[in-house]
Amino acid sequence: MRTYDDTMFKDTFEHEFTWLNGVMRNVRRFSTRPAIIDPETNRHWDYQSLNKEANKLANALQKAGIKKDDVVMGTLRNSPEFVFAYVALRKLGAIFLCANYNLSSGEMKLLIEHNEPKAVIYTANSATNIKEAVEKSAFKTELVIIADNIENTKVPAGHISYEAFVQDSPDTEPQVKFRPHIYDEVLRLCTSGTTALPKCVPINDINEVLSAHDVIMHYPMNALDVTLNMTPWFHRGGCHSGGICPTLYAGASAVIMRQFRPHTALKWVNEYHITYMMGTPANLKMLVRAQEKEPQNLSAIKGIVTMGAPLSRTDCMEFIETLTPNIFNGYGTTETFWNSFLRPYNLPEGAGSVGGSCTDDEVRIVKIFDDKKAEPNDLIPQDSTAEGEVIIKSPAKTTYSYFKNEKATEEKFYKGWMYTGDVGTWDENCIVTIKGRKDDMIVVSGENIFPAQIEEILNDHEKVKDSIVTAVPDKVRGEAVAAYIVAKDSSLTIQELGEYCTSHSMLSKYKRPRYFAIVDELPFTTTGKKKHYEMKRRAVEDLKQGILKKA
């Protein structure tokens, strides 16, 4: 029982404190300000025209039968169509499933079968994979739309171009018969797992609003800012770290970059007065090289935010000296967004750590047990030496669940905490430093890869007896995949393995091993588990010695 009448507050908060309402306020307040800028096609949309384009798509989808809680899968590059879909689907109460356009046709097929999207909107450069995935999927998606600069791509039979789909659609607000709720699922993101099927992460409307608030608070961001996220928007860090979610909610402007090009990114800073840039440490390293070769005026930059990999002190110093003194570093997960944050005043001294918890989050390190999950209060000593598992409480930015994956949900979420699988230390001020993984995850250009999936594919080769997959350092990608093979047939060659991986329908390009070694045996524990950690240490030296070879 309340001490006051909370009826109107609950009704207003639960039904009106939505991301779309925030964007619509900006449509009214900032109607003629730029919302999105597409330098590659020399186009831009102000908030009023963006809303009209979103309405055209919403009305066309509604006419095609898309309604509340239907799933629309987007395998889109950063593009105007991505933004139109992001807004339009909120108007219909539909769910935007953001998929990696680099997935193989087999992986796309599994994603379609798992999520059963009523429509697929895809970027033209993944036409071949989408066509094959849609045709082979047991679930039949009838509406398939090809988008984003399709001039040089033939529209596959049974598909329709985005332009043709929305051509005669009205730009007025679509008429709907539901009231939005802050707990409605509005976005579904994908994160890697040990199988070819990604884990699907539901994001609800209040997660979106509070993720936007987190960015606006931590940067800080306002309506005069211009953002350039150099990573794909289909990632949590892509759409939320200065991506479409916070940028449009704040009334700011987003510059579209389909494929990262460092020289171009720096030129655009000056041309479009970009204030915030987002990318992985590998992106920033390439920006440094580009700035050294062809210096640009970077005085507009208020901050460069890096996520997806640890930030070393050496790299941090280089970024500060060459790009901007305002370097930020976030740490988190697809499930929880970022949960600790290093600001410019924490750097470079704090580089190497991931900092302390964000304002509304808590990051702890708990003991690791072989036979059970640690309780949230089973804390390790705060002495910067003892190692444990990093767990995260993020009540504002996560739904604590996976879509149709009870096993993974039970493994990862417990008593309001996410158990990340990261191993780290912390000090008396709760500053966390990541040391590695409980599992064997590999990170290539910000993409998480689990060796088990690749090993299963390699072991299906008729000449392979067994394999172990690990990572080696890579200057461009952070890490590269390396595979050790025990041959069943002595005629097996590294070239043959490379060709096999390139043509395999279940192996995305970024997951393919770049290096191979054919060996006599693999290391196992006494219980029969592969020693991935041991091979990872060995692989660094094997690469130097030329034992690991490119296919």
Side-chain angles (χ1 to χ4, degrees), residues 176-288:
V176 296
K177 297 180 180 179
F178 68 91
R179 282 190 80 190
H181 194 282
I182 58 174
Y183 295 160
D184 288 342
E185 183 185 1
V186 293
L187 190 67
R188 192 174 294 169
L189 301 176
C190 301
T191 187
S192 296
T194 57
T195 66
L197 174 66
K199 298 195 296 287
C200 297
V201 180
I203 307 293
N204 63 34
D205 209 315
I206 196 65
N207 292 157
E208 286 279 88
V209 171
L210 296 177
S211 293
H213 278 219
D214 218 52
V215 172
I216 291 166
M217 170 174 59
H218 281 87
Y219 278 22
M221 180 189 289
N222 62 55
L224 300 181
D225 282 314
V226 182
T227 66
L228 173 63
N229 197 311
M230 299 173 287
T231 66
W233 288 339
F234 59 70
H235 282 303
R236 185 73 187 259
C239 65
H240 288 99
S241 178
I244 294 305
C245 172
T247 300
L248 296 187
Y249 196 85
S253 306
V255 177
I256 297 169
M257 174 166 269
R258 290 169 176 79
Q259 184 176 2
F260 175 61
R261 298 185 301 280
H263 288 281
T264 302
L266 293 176
K267 287 179 181 179
W268 288 356
V269 170
N270 189 36
E271 187 171 350
Y272 298 102
H273 306 290
I274 291 167
T275 54
Y276 286 105
M277 304 175 79
M278 286 65 64
T280 66
N283 293 141
L284 271 60
K285 288 180 183 180
M286 286 187 272
L287 288 180
V288 167

Side-chain angles (χ1 to χ4, degrees), residues 333-346:
T333 69
T334 299
E335 295 86 345
T336 59
F337 187 32
W338 63 33
N339 311 106
S340 68
F341 204 64
L342 290 164
R343 299 169 177 83
Y345 60 75
N346 302 123

Side-chain angles (χ1 to χ4, degrees), residues 9-179:
F9 167 75
K10 288 173 64 177
D11 185 74
T12 304
F13 181 75
E14 292 181 2
H15 294 285
E16 296 186 25
F17 193 45
T18 65
W19 184 85
L20 181 61
N21 276 349
V23 173
M24 294 306 296
R25 287 194 295 270
N26 294 333
V27 170
R28 294 186 289 273
R29 291 184 293 194
F30 308 134
S31 61
T32 59
R33 280 195 196 169
I36 55 173
I37 301 165
D38 187 8
E40 294 176 38
T41 63
N42 197 29
R43 297 179 296 170
H44 80 276
W45 289 262
D46 57 28
Y47 273 85
Q48 185 177 57
S49 58
L50 167 60
N51 188 51
K52 288 182 177 181
E53 289 292 340
N55 286 340
K56 291 175 68 175
L57 176 57
N59 283 309
L61 288 169
Q62 188 178 59
K63 185 178 179 181
I66 303 299
K67 59 186 184 304
K68 189 176 186 305
D69 295 332
D70 284 343
V71 175
V72 174
M73 177 173 165
T75 62
L76 291 161
R77 295 188 296 180
N78 300 359
S79 60
E81 290 84 356
F82 188 106
V83 186
F84 302 155
Y86 206 93
V87 179
L89 294 174
R90 308 300 168 93
K91 293 173 182 273
L92 301 180
I95 299 164
F96 190 20
L97 168 63
C98 295
N100 185 341
Y101 54 79
N102 292 312
L103 292 178
S104 68
S105 62
E107 292 168 309
M108 292 281 194
K109 170 183 172 292
L110 292 178
L111 207 54
I112 291 171
E113 291 173 341
H114 186 72
N115 291 277
E116 300 185 346
K118 297 291 182 64
V120 175
I121 308 175
Y122 68 92
T123 193
N125 64 337
S126 61
T128 301
N129 281 351
I130 288 292
K131 181 176 182 296
E132 186 174 327
V134 169
E135 289 174 352
K136 292 185 176 181
S137 173
F139 177 82
K140 298 304 176 186
T141 301
E142 296 184 3
L143 178 57
V144 187
I145 304 166
I146 181 171
D148 187 31
N149 299 344
I150 67 170
E151 290 82 1
N152 299 318
T153 305
K154 183 179 179 181
V155 179
H159 299 199
I160 185 172
S161 73
Y162 183 92
E163 289 74 14
F165 181 67
V166 302
Q167 185 173 11
D168 299 319
S169 185
D171 63 9
T172 53
E173 294 294 328
Q175 300 302 304
V176 296
K177 297 180 180 179
F178 68 91
R179 282 190 80 190

Side-chain angles (χ1 to χ4, degrees), residues 315-327:
D315 287 342
C316 183
M317 289 295 296
E318 190 172 41
F319 301 157
I320 289 172
E321 292 169 2
T322 309
L323 301 173
T324 175
N326 299 318
I327 299 294

